Amino acid sequence: MQWIDVRSDTVTQPTPAMREAMFNAEVGDDVYGDDPTVQALEQLAAEKLGKEAALFVPTGNFGNQLAIFTHCQRGDEVILEESCHIVWHETGGAAVIGGVQLRTIVGVDGVMSPEAIEQRIRVGEDIHWPRTGLICLENAHCNGRVIPLEAMAASAEAARRHHVPVHLDGARIFNAAAHLGCEARDIAQYADTVMFCLSKGLAAPVGSILAGSADFIARARRNRKLLGGGMRQAGVIAAPGIVALNEMVDRLKDDHANARYLAERLATLPCVEVKLEDVHINMVWFRFTADIDVAELMAALRQAGVKANPPEGGLMRIVTHWQVRREDLDRLVEALQRVLSD
């Protein structure tokens, strides 16, 4: 049986073109700065985001924590939305690596109001206060919603009025751009630094990018080495990143269309609640409105050849990607329907 894996878009297999690029990649030693394929990827990524420079890093988590570590001094405070990835899914790395504390804001669908941001920026030199070292935004948000450009602009303006840098967790920035009908650089312009993942919907097997000013990236490169992220003949894993940026960005809209198709089909099932207005990218979140035997549900999905993460608190997530077809989604829905109809 051919498995359908909808746990995340991190499970994507590299395309044939990526495998060929890996095989043929010209390499050097990236710690010495002489891997031409890594250099080509970094230059391409910087151009895509409208930034001066970029740095290839192993993971998105690494990229976000490297940004915080490079922007901040120990004891600084970082302002960010309370349900964002850095708060929930990065194992407390900001405390361990950067030595900072997180000051969260309850957002609306992942959006922080500029007024709330300004209220939390430490103004003045009170010796009891930490320094506000950074504001972090996220787009697309890990709840699957895309933050409008006007909200990005308002947050950035609030930060810049107080001379506080902005970092964007743009793990799925190209998905966000596809939803908004703009370029990734149109989103990235509102942040001093940006991280995005090559290994999610763009389907590269490994790697992320941290981009910003040339000076910031020079400091981040040193800190990457300090954190153990210096890589040697990294061109073999950078090569599929180049393919990802050249060939996989424009097709993300197909994943979004498939997610919308799935959401509309799920909405017809008994005991399933889907907010269609929240399906912006390749994620579908839905809630079971009745008690569900989770073990039975997951067994039925496995029997149908579907790998999915179980629901948490009645809420379940399905993620589409380049290896998920409409007929795969039909098989998933049919398996759910059998369970819910029993």
Side-chain angles (χ1 to χ4, degrees), residues 30-193:
D30 187 44
V31 172
Y32 284 110
D34 61 9
D35 188 303
T37 306
V38 173
Q39 291 174 355
L41 170 61
E42 291 172 343
Q43 181 178 353
L44 176 61
E47 290 171 356
K48 292 281 188 182
L49 295 182
K51 300 301 182 187
E52 287 183 341
L55 183 67
F56 185 45
V57 296
T59 68
N61 189 326
F62 192 110
N64 281 334
Q65 295 306 321
L66 178 60
I68 293 170
F69 184 48
T70 304
H71 275 294
C72 296
Q73 303 170 20
R74 288 191 171 274
D76 278 359
E77 192 167 67
V78 176
I79 297 172
L80 65 184
E81 202 272 333
E82 64 93 23
S83 64
C84 72
H85 193 277
I86 292 173
V87 172
W88 277 89
H89 300 295
E90 298 193 6
T91 59
V96 176
I97 297 168
V100 300
Q101 68 178 25
L102 303 182
R103 193 173 195 193
T104 60
I105 293 173
V106 177
V108 177
D109 295 326
V111 178
M112 299 183 288
S113 73
E115 295 80 13
I117 291 173
E118 291 210 66
Q119 288 170 3
R120 285 162 178 79
I121 294 174
R122 307 284 186 166
V123 178
E125 297 296 333
D126 191 310
I127 63 172
H128 302 89
W129 292 346
R131 186 183 75 107
T132 302
L134 185 64
I135 294 167
C136 290
L137 307 176
E138 185 177 25
N139 203 8
H141 195 277
C142 59
N143 63 13
R145 291 184 60 92
V146 173
I147 310 305
L149 290 179
E150 53 268 28
M152 296 285 298
S155 297
E157 178 59 29
R160 286 164 185 166
R161 274 197 294 272
H162 297 277
H163 308 289
V164 179
V166 175
H167 172 67
L168 173 62
D169 177 355
R172 295 182 177 89
I173 191 172
F174 291 97
N175 292 89
H179 175 77
L180 292 171
C182 67
E183 299 295 327
R185 63 173 56 230
D186 298 326
I187 302 172
Q189 67 178 313
Y190 299 113
D192 298 282
T193 57

Side-chain angles (χ1 to χ4, degrees), residues 15-32:
T15 66
M18 290 178 180
R19 294 180 185 274
E20 183 178 356
M22 294 171 74
F23 182 82
N24 293 317
E26 184 182 358
V27 299
D29 188 315
D30 187 44
V31 172
Y32 284 110

Side-chain angles (χ1 to χ4, degrees), residues 3-12 262 282-284 286 298 301 305-310 316-321 323-325 328-329 332-333 336:
W3 284 95
I4 304 163
D5 198 336
V6 292
R7 291 173 295 174
S8 177
D9 47 8
T10 61
V11 303
T12 52
L262 173 64
N282 60 329
M283 292 183 187
V284 180
F286 58 99
M298 300 313 294
L301 289 174
V306 177
K307 293 182 180 181
N309 289 322
M316 191 167 182
R317 185 187 78 165
I318 301 296
V319 184
T320 60
H321 49 79
Q323 291 175 292
V324 176
R325 304 162 300 171
D328 298 328
L329 298 174
L332 185 158
V333 172
L336 285 174

Side-chain angles (χ1 to χ4, degrees), residues 190-209:
Y190 299 113
D192 298 282
T193 57
V194 183
M195 184 284 298
F196 74 85
C197 292
L198 296 159
S199 58
K200 290 189 166 74
L202 298 182
V206 64
S208 293
I209 293 290

